[in-house]
Amino acid sequence: MQQSQEPPNFWEVLGGQPEEILKHVPEDFTPVRPKLYKVGLGLGYLELPQINYKLSVEHKDKVKLDKLPELRLLQTLLDTKGVYILDCLSDVFIWIGRKSPRLVRAAALKLGQEVCTMLHRPKHATVTRNLEGTECQVFKSKFQNWDDVLKVDYTRAAESVEQQQGLQGKVKKDAEKKDEMKADLTALFLPRQPPMVLTEAEQMMEEWNEDLDGMEGFVLEGKKFARLPEEEFGHFHTQDCYVFLCRYWVPVEYDDEDKEKKERHGHHGGEEEEEERVEEDFQCVVYFWQGRQASNMGWLTFTFSLQKKFESLFPGKLEVVRMTQQQENLKFLSHFKRKFIVHKGKRKQKVDAAQPSLYHIRTNGSALCTRTIQIGTDSSNLNSEFCFILKVPFESTDNQGIVYTWVGRAADPDEAKLAEDIMNCLFDDTYSKQVINEGEEPENFFWVGIGCQKVYDEDADYMKYARLFRCSNEKGYFAVSEKCSDFCQDDLADDDIMLLDNGQEVYMWVGTQTSQVEIKLSLKACQVYIQHIRSKESETPRKLRLVRKGNEPHCFTRCFHGWGAFKTPPA
């Protein structure tokens, strides 16, 4: 359209028609200096520090004062793990890094609106959301030499791309590193990780427990950590955070001179000295464990309280290991000797004590990875190859209730014995306890307690085949990697594509934050994997199935121990 021919709604959008349209920009006009803020979470509050980019290290020469202020903004100030607010008076931009936390994103959108209301602004002022990689042109124009990541044509060789003139930025770097311009599918062709032999796992447990000199437990209660009674070691809750301080002996390594002296002088009178020397060598490891439904505030509380205390007590001898439920460190698991029990809810909330509860005992690839997890009390969750523990409380008698250890007809005998031990750990003598085999369930209590008798799986062949692969291009090129056999639901990364093989189907699981490029390349990877399996295991050809997050079928979910609702991001 031409000047003076504007429709009425044109001026409405801009806040009204001006009385006079200037012929040129006044000579004394100075543009508003854009202000860049980083959104952060403090302890119970939001932080919004302004980033001073006036004298950025990127400028080798001295910055001239008359330099246009917007040209001092540099793309390198933006971190992919952060969220930023760029305030340009009439335009407020929220820039969201691809690896930024959901909580910070939500906070930024709220802050963007508040920033707009704090100062006097034109009527046409807007708040614009920009996701990393999809920035609008107006936002990019505020930065000096904004470097766009160009689309890469995967059908062309690195040599032909390199021959083009005028390559800049990321494309030039990629061309220089042509060895990295590839798709790494190696993991798809490697054999499945074999299960660890029971004797080998038991030996590892024994060695790790021999090294353990002592263990103290703490649990988060309110805003501080309280000491955990020793009888509760091995009991964890999905909404709680725990800390275990473990002290390990470190074997003393003697050099050759020490050995010669000992051989020359024998062991007379040297035993006390040796004991003293061994006593001085130890290491402390702090294991922080977070349940699936626990808040991240537990970790923040730990780092500002207990961790500081431990570091002052054991300077230079402390290691901190952070773990989430079902992604535990193997050495940590070994200290509970296969009696690792995960309950639903919070430790001190006994609201469901009057309701029946069901626990599933399962070993993932190694006896070290044995867990007993509380699942939905429903008979469709039973399986003939596993052991389950069912608690049925009584309403009004001296005994609190009856507890059954249900042993599937195809269950491992060692696991059946372990299940009985776990039942005795879980419940005291106020409960009546009974071990029953599949098919011998008492109608009046067992089936009534579990709801009713439904159809359930009679085999777990998928345990022999189950493999989980992750497809991602975060390394700068497309790569497939395999999760170990002890995978869990939380390994399904929302910003990646996951491949699950259960022996009959290969499921391509698509998260909610994946790119179209990842989807296309992952589909190719699925086809390559199915073709490879067909040549290796012709008797069990796989079918390809597409699964979207939240719509997983039973044949998919049963490959994961204790499958439940997905974690929801904090509001």
Side-chain angles (χ1 to χ4, degrees):
M1 78 182 74
Q2 292 182 349
Q3 186 177 339
S4 75
Q5 294 180 354
E6 303 89 358
N9 60 348
F10 174 82
W11 292 115
E12 280 177 26
V13 173
L14 293 177
Q17 187 171 358
E19 294 177 6
E20 181 188 1
I21 298 175
L22 300 175
K23 291 183 179 180
H24 58 81
V25 178
E27 290 181 6
D28 60 346
F29 172 76
T30 52
V32 176
R33 181 174 183 261
K35 292 175 182 171
L36 184 65
Y37 302 93
K38 184 172 184 179
V39 182
L41 293 179
L43 283 173
Y45 55 86
L46 288 169
E47 295 174 336
L48 200 63
Q50 184 176 345
I51 293 175
N52 181 16
Y53 55 87
K54 189 175 178 183
L55 294 172
S56 169
V57 291
E58 296 287 332
H59 297 296
K60 292 177 184 176
D61 303 323
K62 189 177 178 182
V63 179
K64 293 179 182 178
L65 294 176
D66 61 347
K67 191 168 185 177
L68 287 174
E70 62 267 29
L71 294 183
R72 296 179 197 163
L73 270 176
L74 294 159
Q75 195 177 350
T76 50
L77 294 169
L78 304 173
D79 179 10
T80 186
K81 293 179 181 176
V83 177
Y84 298 82
I85 293 176
L86 181 63
D87 184 6
C88 305
L89 192 67
S90 61
D91 289 300
V92 175
F93 300 97
I94 297 166
W95 186 88
I96 297 170
R98 287 199 175 272
K99 294 182 183 177
S100 58
R102 282 177 178 268
L103 195 60
V104 182
R105 294 181 184 198
L109 294 170
K110 178 76 175 163
L111 281 171
Q113 298 292 342
E114 290 181 3
V115 165
C116 246
T117 57
M118 283 194 291
L119 298 170
H120 173 71
R121 292 173 192 273
K123 289 181 182 178
H124 59 272
T126 56
V127 178
T128 312
R129 181 175 172 272
N130 287 268
L131 184 65
E132 182 183 359
T134 60
E135 296 87 355
C136 65
Q137 199 58 45
V138 179
F139 177 81
K140 290 189 283 192
S141 68
K142 307 291 181 186
F143 289 77
Q144 185 181 19
N145 301 328
W146 182 278
D147 182 17
D148 270 316
V149 177
L150 301 178
K151 289 181 181 178
V152 177
D153 183 357
Y154 285 92
T155 62
R156 295 184 61 186
E159 288 81 6
S160 60
V161 175
E162 197 174 9
Q163 286 166 8
Q164 283 196 348
Q165 297 298 315
L167 287 176
Q168 288 185 354
K170 188 176 185 298
V171 177
K172 187 176 181 181
K173 289 174 190 170
D174 283 347
E176 288 167 358
K177 298 178 182 177
K178 58 187 176 186
D179 290 340
E180 290 186 17
M181 297 275 287
K182 63 180 186 289
D184 183 4
L185 306 179
T186 314
L188 298 175
F189 302 99
L190 297 174
R192 185 177 184 268
Q193 179 187 347
M196 189 184 287
V197 184
L198 180 61
T199 52
E200 188 183 335
E202 285 176 339
Q203 187 183 344
M204 284 179 73
M205 271 191 272
E206 191 179 333
E207 287 174 3
W208 278 334
N209 283 307
E210 277 178 7
D211 293 340
L212 181 66
D213 178 44
M215 182 161 73
E216 290 181 68
F218 303 85
V219 61
L220 185 65
E221 289 183 355
K223 293 185 178 179
K224 61 180 182 179
F225 281 91
R227 196 171 288 274
L228 185 71
E230 204 164 317
E231 62 270 18
E232 289 189 44
F233 284 14
H235 292 264
F236 297 83
H237 289 76
T238 56
Q239 290 181 19
D240 284 325
C241 294
Y242 295 79
V243 170
F244 286 86
L245 173 65
C246 295
R247 177 180 161 126
Y248 296 103
W249 291 118
V250 178
V252 181
E253 293 183 9
Y254 295 103
D255 55 27
D256 294 336
E257 286 182 19
D258 287 337
K259 283 180 184 174
E260 282 177 24
K261 282 179 187 175
K262 285 180 84 175
E263 284 168 14
R264 241 183 274 129
H265 301 293
H267 295 280
H268 304 295
E271 287 177 11
E272 287 177 20
E273 189 182 328
E274 188 183 338
E275 278 178 20
E276 261 180 48
R277 184 165 180 181
V278 172
E279 236 177 280
E280 288 173 0
D281 290 85
F282 70 91
Q283 184 200 12
C284 286
V285 178
V286 177
Y287 299 101
F288 176 91
W289 186 93
Q290 182 174 322
R292 279 198 82 217
Q293 296 155 329
S295 159
N296 283 332
M297 284 305 293
W299 172 250
L300 292 171
T301 305
F302 165 71
T303 53
F304 284 101
S305 58
L306 269 186
Q307 186 176 350
K308 302 282 185 195
K309 184 179 178 182
F310 292 150
E311 282 171 351
S312 64
L313 286 171
F314 311 106
K317 288 185 178 286
L318 190 74
E319 180 190 349
V320 177
V321 178
R322 185 183 183 184
M323 305 171 297
T324 50
Q325 181 183 320
Q326 290 169 263
Q327 296 175 321
E328 294 88 3
N329 174 290
L330 289 182
K331 193 170 185 177
F332 175 73
L333 283 175
S334 73
H335 299 327
F336 303 97
K337 298 170 184 174
R338 303 187 74 190
K339 293 172 186 172
F340 193 92
I341 302 154
V342 181
H343 306 267
K344 284 184 178 178
K346 286 189 82 67
R347 172 174 163 263
K348 290 208 168 180
Q349 282 180 355
K350 304 292 181 186
V351 284
D352 292 330
Q355 297 299 318
S357 52
L358 183 65
Y359 293 83
H360 178 197
I361 300 159
R362 175 167 149 174
T363 299
N364 288 342
S366 161
L368 288 164
C369 304
T370 303
R371 298 178 185 86
T372 301
I373 299 178
Q374 187 178 354
I375 58 173
T377 310
D378 194 307
S379 60
S380 63
N381 288 329
L382 297 174
N383 186 304
S384 301
E385 286 200 28
F386 297 110
C387 297
F388 295 79
I389 295 171
L390 174 69
K391 179 197 80 171
V392 185
F394 295 150
E395 287 182 9
S396 56
T397 56
D398 293 337
N399 283 356
Q400 287 190 350
I402 187 165
V403 180
Y404 297 101
T405 291
W406 185 88
V407 181
R409 68 170 68 93
D412 183 88
D414 285 325
E415 216 156 271
K417 187 177 181 305
L418 175 68
E420 189 177 352
D421 291 344
I422 291 170
M423 175 178 69
N424 292 323
C425 283
L426 265 171
F427 303 101
D428 58 28
D429 294 335
T430 58
Y431 286 89
S432 170
K433 299 171 193 171
Q434 197 176 337
V435 179
I436 55 170
N437 292 317
E438 183 181 355
E440 300 171 1
E441 302 88 356
E443 184 71 37
N444 57 340
F445 281 114
F446 186 87
W447 291 120
V448 170
I450 206 167
C452 62
Q453 192 166 356
K454 297 179 186 175
V455 176
Y456 57 80
D457 292 327
E458 295 187 6
D459 69 79
D461 281 350
Y462 53 86
M463 292 289 286
K464 301 169 193 167
Y465 300 98
R467 301 180 75 178
L468 185 69
F469 299 92
R470 177 187 179 219
C471 302
S472 175
N473 55 14
E474 69 174 9
K475 294 179 180 177
Y477 58 91
F478 182 76
V480 178
S481 56
E482 184 175 5
K483 295 281 181 181
C484 65
S485 55
D486 184 31
F487 56 79
C488 70
Q489 184 178 352
D490 293 331
D491 285 319
L492 300 173
D494 221 5
D495 54 351
D496 288 318
I497 309 280
M498 312 299 290
L499 308 185
L500 177 73
D501 179 7
N502 69 355
Q504 293 181 323
E505 293 99 1
V506 172
Y507 292 96
M508 179 172 144
W509 183 90
V510 182
T512 57
Q513 297 174 23
T514 48
S515 68
Q516 289 300 313
V517 171
E518 279 179 313
I519 292 172
K520 288 176 184 175
L521 293 172
S522 299
L523 185 58
K524 288 285 183 190
C526 282
Q527 292 164 344
V528 167
Y529 178 71
I530 289 171
Q531 197 65 39
H532 170 67
I533 291 294
R534 189 173 287 143
S535 64
K536 289 282 182 185
E537 303 171 21
S538 54
E539 69 284 358
T540 53
R542 312 289 203 265
K543 292 178 181 176
L544 179 61
R545 297 272 187 267
L546 178 68
V547 176
R548 288 205 171 270
K549 183 182 178 181
N551 296 306
E552 297 82 2
H554 173 66
C555 289
F556 182 95
T557 59
R558 67 180 183 175
C559 295
F560 298 81
H561 190 188
W563 180 276
F566 278 99
K567 288 190 288 188
T568 51

